[in-house]
Structure formats: C-alpha cells, structure tokens
Amino acid sequence: MRLFKSKAEKVKAEIDKIIGRIASNDLTLTEVVLNGRGLGDDEAVRIAAALRVNSHVTKLYLDVNNIGDAGATSLAGMLSVNSTITVLTLGNNNIGDVGSTALAGMLSVNFTITQLHLWDNKIGHVGATAFGKALRTNSAITRLSLHDNNIGDVGSTALAGMLSVNSTITLLTLGNNKIGHVGATAFGKALRTNSAITVLTLGNNNIGDAGATALAGMLSVNSTITQLHLDDNKIGHVGATAFGKALRTNSAITRLSLHDNNIGDVGSTALAGMLSVNFTITVLTLGNNN
C-alpha cells in the first residue's frame, strides 16, 4: 500500500480544496492564487463554475498555466454575472483570439473588474481589436497587460483608437508585439487628447524613427503620461532628437526608456541638451545605443 502522495496528487488535492472553498462561498477566501499549478481548461471551467456562486473572492491569479480558449471563455462567462472580482491575471497561458475576444465581450457588461492581465499568450490582432472595441464603453478597467503577444499594427491601431475616447485606463503594456511605426503613430495621435494614461510600454517592437517621432510630438501637448518605455525599437538619432526637443517643454515624463536602440552620439547629445532645462525626468535609460 502506497503511503505517500505524489507531487501531482498533492497539487490536485490542493486545487480541489480551493475550488471547494470557492464553491462554498468561504468568506475568509478573498484571493485565489493558483499560479504555476499546471491548470488546464478543465480546471479553469471548474473554477469559473464555482465563482458563479461566490461573492467573496475579489482577486484571481492564474498566471503560468496551460489555460486555453475554452477555459478563458468559461471565465468570461462567469465574469458576465460575477460582480465581486476586481483583478484577473491570466499571463503566460495559451489563450488565443477566441478566448481573448470572449473576455473582451465580457467587458461590455462587467463594470467591476479593474485589472486584466493577459501577457504572454497567443493573442493576435483579432483579440486586440475586440478589446479596442469593448474598452470604448467600459469605464472600469484601469490596467490592461497585453505584452508578449502578437497583436501587430492592426491590433495596436485599434487599441490606440480606443484611447481617444477611454478616460479610465492608466496603464497599458504592449511590449514585444510586432508593432511597427503605423501602430506607434496611432498612439501618438490618440495620446494627444487622452488624459488618463500614465504608463505606456512599447518595448521590443519595431517602431523606428517614424514611430518615435510621432510619440515625441505627442509629448508637446500631453501632460498626463509619466512613463514611456521604448527600449529595443530600432530608434535612431532622428527619433532621439525628436524626444530631446519635445522634453524641453514637457514637465510630466519622469521615466523614459530608450536602451537597446541606435541613437548614437547625435541622438544622445540632443537628449543631454534637453536635460539642461528639464528637471522632471528622474530615469533615462540609454544603454547599448552605439
């Protein structure tokens, strides 16, 4: 007779116990943390079903699992009727356009959830466009993480367009998403009128000088954004010089990330000159720039 449970059996028993507590509406359970537990769609469906009758869990952490479109769709269905959860994290799973579209659709009826983190999934322009549409009317979400997906210029343009009317989102992460100058230019245009976003991350994309110049131009009229992350984006001296000029009059930006680009001496000299009159920036990263 085996006396000891295997690691997998112990994890399953722990998951079953937590789902049981959710289903029983345990008032002492307000945060569910199941990161890195090997959860798949079946477990996500069970969790979603339990949460339909729960009124105490406010935060649900499901990062680094194997949840796909079916699990995400079940969670979206649950959130269409749940009015307690404020934070949902599903980073590093296998959610594609189908699951992300379901989650985006949920935002048209759910006005409780304020943070949705979907970094490192398989979301393309279809899912991103769905979020762009849903967030035109949703006034609850303040943080949306979509970095390390594959939304491209089409998806990023849809999200940028949403920012022209959304006044709630303060943080949007889009790093490593195959975004080029078209998407960056769309953000440059949208952020001329948006007064909510404080942090925008676009690192590890391909925006180049054209995209950087558009974003720099936006800083001449935007006084809300405080952090702009553009590392590893093929930005040269033209884009860096544009930032050097714009930040002579902008007094909002405190952190600007430009490391791992190609700004060279000309671009860095323009940025250095800006620092003689700008007393707001506290962090400027320029490593690996020739």
Side-chain angles (χ1 to χ4, degrees):
M1 182 177 68
R2 191 155 58 97
L3 298 178
F4 301 103
K5 291 183 178 180
S6 68
K7 182 178 179 180
E9 289 173 326
K10 289 179 180 179
V11 170
K12 182 181 183 302
E14 180 187 7
I15 293 169
D16 289 343
K17 180 179 179 180
I18 291 174
I19 293 176
R21 290 180 65 192
I22 296 172
S24 68
N25 205 16
D26 184 341
L27 60 84
T28 66
L29 184 65
T30 59
E31 294 188 10
V32 175
V33 182
L34 289 171
N35 298 330
R37 303 302 175 87
L39 305 181
D41 285 333
D42 290 344
E43 289 80 12
V45 169
R46 291 176 60 204
I47 292 169
L51 284 168
R52 281 180 174 267
V53 295
N54 184 285
S55 58
H56 295 293
V57 173
T58 60
K59 298 178 181 180
L60 179 60
Y61 300 96
L62 301 174
D63 295 330
V64 196
N65 283 293
N66 298 307
I67 299 169
D69 287 331
T73 299
S74 264
L75 290 168
M78 173 271 296
L79 288 168
S80 295
V81 296
N82 179 290
S83 58
T84 309
I85 291 176
T86 60
V87 177
L88 173 62
T89 73
L90 283 164
N92 195 0
N93 278 285
N94 293 309
I95 300 167
D97 282 331
V98 172
S100 56
T101 297
L103 288 166
M106 166 271 297
L107 295 179
S108 65
V109 294
N110 181 305
F111 300 100
T112 306
I113 190 165
T114 61
Q115 296 187 36
L116 185 55
H117 302 282
L118 294 168
W119 48 273
D120 196 10
N121 275 283
K122 301 182 187 311
I123 301 169
H125 68 88
V126 174
T129 299
F131 277 112
K133 179 180 179 180
L135 290 169
R136 284 179 171 267
T137 54
N138 179 286
S139 57
I141 290 287
T142 61
R143 292 172 168 248
L144 178 63
S145 301
L146 288 171
H147 56 276
D148 297 301
N149 280 288
N150 189 28
I151 71 173
D153 279 333
V154 174
S156 58
T157 298
L159 289 167
M162 168 271 296
L163 292 180
S164 65
V165 295
N166 180 292
S167 59
T168 312
I169 292 178
T170 60
L171 178 145
L172 180 60
T173 70
L174 297 172
N176 192 26
N177 259 297
K178 296 182 174 62
I179 299 170
H181 68 89
V182 173
T185 299
F187 278 109
K189 179 180 179 181
L191 291 173
R192 285 179 171 270
T193 54
N194 179 287
S195 58
I197 285 277
T198 59
V199 179
L200 176 63
T201 72
L202 285 166
N204 194 15
N205 280 293
N206 189 27
I207 72 171
D209 280 331
T213 300
L215 289 167
M218 165 272 296
L219 295 179
S220 65
V221 294
N222 181 301
S223 58
T224 308
I225 191 164
T226 61
Q227 295 188 36
L228 187 56
H229 301 276
L230 300 173
D231 48 285
D232 195 9
N233 257 297
K234 296 181 175 60
I235 299 170
H237 68 88
V238 173
T241 300
F243 277 110
K245 179 180 179 181
L247 290 169
R248 284 179 171 269
T249 55
N250 178 288
S251 58
I253 289 285
T254 60
R255 300 173 71 96
L256 177 63
S257 301
L258 289 172
H259 56 275
D260 296 302
N261 280 291
N262 189 29
I263 71 174
D265 287 336
V266 174
S268 58
T269 298
L271 289 166
M274 168 271 296
L275 292 177
S276 66
V277 295
N278 181 301
F279 302 103
T280 309
I281 291 180
T282 58
V283 178
L284 176 62
T285 68
L286 296 174
N288 194 23
N289 259 294
N290 297 318

